Amino acid sequence: TPTATPSPSKPVQGKPMAGLYIPKLDKHWIVVEGVTQKDIRYAPGHYPKSALPGQIGNFSVAGHRNRATFWRLDELRKGDPIVVESKDAWYVYHVAQTRIVKPSQVEVVAPVPGRPGVKPTEAWLTLTTCNPKFDNYQRLIVHAKLVRTDLKGPGTPRPAELAG
């Protein structure tokens, strides 16, 4: 008897929900669901109300500015690839902009980055971390735009190959 294809389930608070790979920094992380201090203690966290990887909108991820997480995020430049892995696909984003904002500027994680209330038509990735290093009176923001989706299957390339 045929079975229905399960629809993607909502991520569970504190549980792994995606992979994140930044080739320029040679760093891999497992992204967990949630951005509380407990959630992001050891790993970057997905803002629960933001889009999922590859979806139209803004897949937004917060991480501490420590050596294990987003320490070197300030080295990213326009065009640098960032790869996000879901259960079914690899999503390749290219950095479009990096900027420094105040912690109160939550519009950076709006569905259209920086434009709250505007209906999204593109898929974005936003990474947020404290700035400067060893302090938190600013936020370093990296916005990246989805440029390619590769569904997983036999012979699927690994993230290092995708980023090229």
Side-chain angles (χ1 to χ4, degrees), residues 22-27 29 69 71-76:
I22 302 181
K24 183 176 189 174
L25 308 181
D26 194 27
K27 285 285 203 175
W29 297 276
T69 315
W71 184 254
R72 295 172 52 209
L73 217 55
D74 59 325
E75 296 176 28
L76 292 180

Side-chain angles (χ1 to χ4, degrees), residues 29-141:
W29 297 276
I30 299 297
V31 178
V32 298
E33 181 65 9
V35 293
T36 68
Q37 288 299 318
K38 182 177 167 222
D39 296 328
I40 65 172
R41 187 166 171 195
Y42 302 111
H46 170 243
Y47 284 83
K49 289 185 168 54
S50 74
L52 293 175
Q55 285 185 338
I56 297 295
N58 188 2
F59 174 58
S60 300
V61 176
H64 282 301
R65 192 75 180 268
N66 59 30
R67 293 191 187 280
T69 315
F70 289 163
W71 184 254
R72 295 172 52 209
L73 217 55
D74 59 325
E75 296 176 28
L76 292 180
R77 297 292 175 260
K78 190 171 182 169
D80 285 342
I82 301 173
V83 181
V84 176
E85 178 186 9
S86 72
K87 198 172 71 138
D88 305 312
W90 300 100
Y91 302 99
V92 182
Y93 297 82
H94 282 179
V95 173
Q97 180 187 39
T98 61
R99 59 200 187 119
I100 306 292
V101 301
K102 294 187 221 101
S104 58
Q105 290 177 261
V106 295
E107 67 271 14
V108 296
V109 296
V112 177
R115 300 178 64 201
V118 175
K119 185 171 171 33
T121 58
E122 300 172 319
W124 286 89
L125 164 69
T126 296
L127 304 178
T128 69
T129 194
C130 291
N131 193 70
K133 290 176 179 171
F134 304 113
D135 214 327
N136 66 357
Y137 62 87
Q138 298 172 323
R139 297 290 178 267
L140 171 64
I141 309 297

